[in-house]
């Protein structure tokens, strides 16, 4: 049997995702019309012998209750939310709930970060892991040397694929091969995490008895005993000990820390739907008569005027109304938004219940990594008729009656 654990973090983590994380926890923000966390959940569902999926985080229980019950019903597979009383780190959270995770006595545990976007080649990883042996296998990818330092950089044996060396977000370049935040482990990982916290306890006692404080590294000294990070505390020390192996993906992979990356990843998932769930894409079936360009998702409850032109990379959520002559390109339109006649939205995310007036434009240049590279309207923003909003972030409940550019409207 196999179980999967998805680490969903908590409210202190999603700060770069503001203003979109004010009311919706980042893992439930829709990409390609589905909550971010549903993409890894759907991938887990395809693993043979998977019996349960756990989401571990320190968000409020009530934020996830409705979602986990509806997705459990839909997939006919138990998906449970386990709430930590405080952050335990990416490995400590797993250990904290070890008894629940081991209930079905699984032979393997998948562990996934919720904020990565990829094709999740989990079954291939499982097979590779069984060939390698050892405690765990890490999904890895080659990225540009300039971007590698935002991630865990690693060195793997080109033949055996063993993880030989691991450094989390190093200051000086180590390798362009990076950690994708997707892992498979045997239950031995739980013993390894326990050893880390026992070792830390031992060190704390030595410190207590002697006054050699300076021998301790400042980072490990500051950490509570039950706070264990998967990367620094497990991957680094176990590298080169024939315990950890790597599986390289040749597909797409991105990390979703900012709204700009959410828009990019929404497009990547829409493109993947062509192969995995083409019924979710608009056009083709003739039900939406608006003109559709490229990959587009339109929620069945949305009303789109037949003279609107939509796409590529557009995702339209529930109860959205799109008026006559509207043009939408590369955007996420959230629930209950109204886009009035002849308005244009390009490279933008439009928050829940917002309204965009006639002949107005909400747009950006589309640099996904720049702070103001996409325009974001928070919840319930009103853009009045003929107003132009360019490269800006507008906080919730604002009314814009004048055009703005390169601004954060507080
Ligand atoms: N439940 C829970 N509790 N989840 C947590 C906690 C915690 O205390 N701390 C972090 N997480 C979750 C986050 O929500 C995220 O899904 C994942 O664990 C990793 O978060 P971080 O530890 O903040 O690391 P990161 O995202 O900056 O980088 C990690 O992922 C990269 C791939 O996206 C590292 O493992 C990098 O090496 C890796 O490249």
């Amino acid at each position: 049997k196999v179980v999967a654990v998805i680490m969903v973090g908590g409210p202190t983590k999603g700060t770069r995702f503001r203003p979109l994380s004010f009311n919706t926890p980042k893992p439930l923000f829709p990409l390609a019309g589905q909550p971010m966390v549903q993409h890894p959940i759907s991938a887990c569902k395809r693993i043979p012998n998977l019996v349960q999926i756990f989401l571990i985080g320190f968000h409020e229980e009530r934020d996830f209750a409705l979602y986990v019950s509806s997705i459990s019903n839909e997939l006919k597979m138990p998906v449970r939310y386990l709430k930590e009383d405080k952050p335990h780190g990416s490995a400590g959270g797993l250990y904290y709930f070890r008894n629940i995770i081991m209930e079905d006595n699984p032979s393997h545990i998948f562990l996934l970060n919720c904020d990565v976007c990829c094709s999740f080649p989990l079954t291939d990883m499982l097979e590779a892991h069984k060939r390698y042996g050892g405690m765990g296998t890490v999904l890895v990818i080659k990225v540009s040397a300039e971007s590698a330092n935002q991630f865990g950089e690693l060195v793997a044996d080109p033949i055996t694929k063993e993880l030989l060396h691991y450094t989390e977000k190093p200051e000086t370049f180590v390798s362009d091969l990076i950690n994708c935040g997707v892992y498979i482990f045997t239950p031995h990982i739980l013993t390894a995490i326990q050893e880390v916290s026992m070792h830390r306890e031992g060190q704390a006692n030595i410190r207590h008895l002697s006054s050699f404080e300076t021998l301790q590294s400042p980072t490990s000294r500051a950490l509570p005993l039950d706070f264990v990070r998967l990367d620094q505390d497990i991957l680094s020390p176990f590298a080169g000990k024939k315990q950890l192996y790597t599986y390289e993906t040749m597909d797409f992979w991105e990390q979703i820390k900012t709204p700009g990356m959410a828009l990019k990843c929404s497009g990547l998932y829409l493109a993947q739907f062509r192969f995995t769930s083409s019924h979710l894409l608009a056009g083709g079936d003739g039900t939406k008569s608006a003109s559709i360009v490229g990959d587009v998702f339109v929620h069945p409850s949305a009303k789109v005027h037949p003279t609107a032109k939509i796409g590529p990379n557009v995702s339209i959520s529930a109860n959205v109304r799109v008026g006559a002559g509207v043009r939408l390109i590369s955007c996420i339109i959230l629930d209950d938004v109204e886009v009035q006649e002849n308005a244009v939205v390009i490279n933008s995310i439009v928050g829940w219940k917002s309204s965009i007036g006639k002949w107005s434009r909400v747009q950006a240049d589309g640099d996904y990594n720049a702070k103001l590279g996409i325009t974001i309207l928070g919840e319930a923003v009103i853009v009045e008729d003929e107003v132009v909003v360019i490269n800006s972030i507008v906080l919730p409940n604002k009314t814009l009656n004048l055009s703005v550019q390169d601004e954060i409207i507080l």
Side-chain angles (χ1 to χ4, degrees):
K1 286 181 205 157
V2 178
V3 295
V5 175
I6 304 175
M7 300 307 279
V8 297
T12 57
K13 287 269 165 183
T15 51
R16 277 188 280 173
F17 217 67
R18 286 176 186 161
L20 299 172
S21 56
F22 281 150
N23 289 323
T24 301
K26 181 175 112 168
L28 297 182
F29 185 83
L31 306 180
Q34 300 180 344
M36 184 184 294
V37 70
Q38 192 156 320
H39 299 279
I41 289 177
S42 305
C44 289
K45 170 74 184 164
R46 296 192 288 268
I47 304 167
N49 303 319
L50 185 91
V51 290
Q52 276 204 73
I53 300 173
F54 301 100
L55 311 184
I56 299 184
F58 47 98
H59 296 274
E60 289 305 326
E61 197 96 46
R62 62 168 182 272
D63 290 343
F64 279 84
L66 210 65
Y67 177 68
V68 292
S69 86
S70 77
I71 192 71
S72 299
N73 283 332
E74 194 183 318
L75 299 182
K76 300 186 178 54
M77 151 92 56
V79 180
R80 287 160 72 184
Y81 177 64
L82 305 178
K83 183 185 182 293
E84 295 163 271
D85 50 355
K86 58 166 193 188
H88 292 87
S90 41
L94 186 73
Y95 184 75
Y96 185 72
F97 289 111
R98 62 194 176 283
N99 294 336
I100 301 178
I101 290 163
M102 292 306 294
E103 261 171 14
D104 292 305
N105 209 5
S107 58
H108 293 90
I109 304 167
F110 275 96
L111 185 67
L112 294 84
N113 291 0
C114 76
D115 58 359
V116 299
C117 165
C118 65
S119 64
F120 298 103
L122 304 178
T123 306
D124 296 344
M125 272 180 82
L126 177 61
E127 273 156 24
H129 173 75
K130 286 179 178 164
R131 282 199 306 275
Y132 302 146
M135 176 172 77
T137 294
V138 184
L139 187 70
V140 303
I141 193 167
K142 265 209 168 68
V143 297
S144 70
E146 306 80 69
S147 66
N149 66 352
Q150 308 163 44
F151 310 106
E153 296 184 14
L154 53 96
V155 180
D157 185 304
I159 311 288
T160 66
K161 309 296 176 196
E162 190 198 338
L163 177 69
L164 297 175
H165 179 75
Y166 185 91
T167 317
E168 183 61 22
K169 304 184 183 93
E171 273 168 30
T172 49
F173 180 75
V174 174
S175 165
D176 57 1
L177 203 57
I178 63 121
N179 170 11
C180 292
V182 175
Y183 317 86
I184 177 159
F185 293 110
T186 64
H188 191 69
I189 182 71
L190 297 170
T191 322
I193 301 170
Q194 186 180 30
E195 278 165 10
V196 170
S197 80
M198 275 163 51
H199 179 71
R200 218 178 263 161
E201 187 174 24
Q203 287 192 325
N205 289 339
I206 295 168
R207 250 196 335 269
H208 190 70
L209 295 173
S210 68
S211 53
F212 292 130
E213 285 271 337
T214 45
L215 290 175
Q216 303 299 317
S217 84
T219 44
S220 72
R221 186 166 59 216
L223 290 175
L225 297 181
D226 57 357
F227 189 92
V228 183
R229 299 157 303 181
L230 190 64
D231 25 53
Q232 286 104 311
D233 301 325
I234 303 284
L235 301 184
S236 290
F238 281 91
K241 298 205 167 82
K242 301 215 170 356
Q243 287 292 322
L244 296 172
Y245 292 84
T246 59
Y247 180 85
E248 186 177 345
T249 177
M250 300 294 168
D251 274 352
F252 63 96
W253 181 87
E254 297 289 346
Q255 194 183 38
I256 319 162
K257 295 291 184 197
T258 60
M261 288 309 294
L263 181 55
K264 179 176 188 186
C265 292
S266 191
L268 290 171
Y269 281 137
L270 285 172
Q272 200 198 24
F273 281 175
R274 258 183 274 156
F275 307 102
T276 59
S277 0
S278 59
H279 62 281
L280 293 173
L281 293 174
D285 61 357
T287 50
K288 300 282 175 225
S289 45
S291 97
I292 301 290
V293 186
D295 300 323
V296 170
F297 168 83
V298 181
H299 191 275
S301 63
K303 290 197 172 52
V304 181
H305 195 275
T307 59
K309 188 172 177 184
I310 298 176
N313 183 21
V314 171
S315 169
I316 297 180
S317 298
N319 304 314
V320 168
R321 286 140 298 153
V322 176
V326 164
R327 183 72 177 101
L328 305 178
I329 303 173
S330 185
C331 55
I332 297 176
I333 312 288
L334 295 161
D335 293 6
D336 305 306
V337 166
E338 177 167 22
V339 187
Q340 296 177 28
E341 287 133 67
N342 302 306
V344 174
V345 182
I346 304 174
N347 293 322
S348 300
I349 297 180
V350 180
W352 308 266
K353 304 189 188 76
S354 289
S355 155
I356 297 178
K358 300 184 182 84
W359 296 101
S360 58
R361 299 180 69 94
V362 173
Q363 64 184 68
D365 50 31
D367 177 354
Y368 298 124
N369 292 308
K371 183 153 196 221
L372 298 176
I374 69 163
T375 286
I376 303 163
L377 307 186
E379 180 163 2
V381 167
I382 297 171
V383 177
E384 294 193 341
D385 294 353
E386 294 173 41
V387 166
V388 180
V389 186
I390 301 176
N391 293 343
S392 294
I393 297 175
V394 184
L395 268 72
N397 305 305
K398 298 285 157 201
T399 296
L400 295 182
N401 48 24
L402 291 173
S403 296
V404 291
Q405 177 161 9
D406 303 318
E407 276 190 62
I408 299 178
I409 314 284
L410 300 167

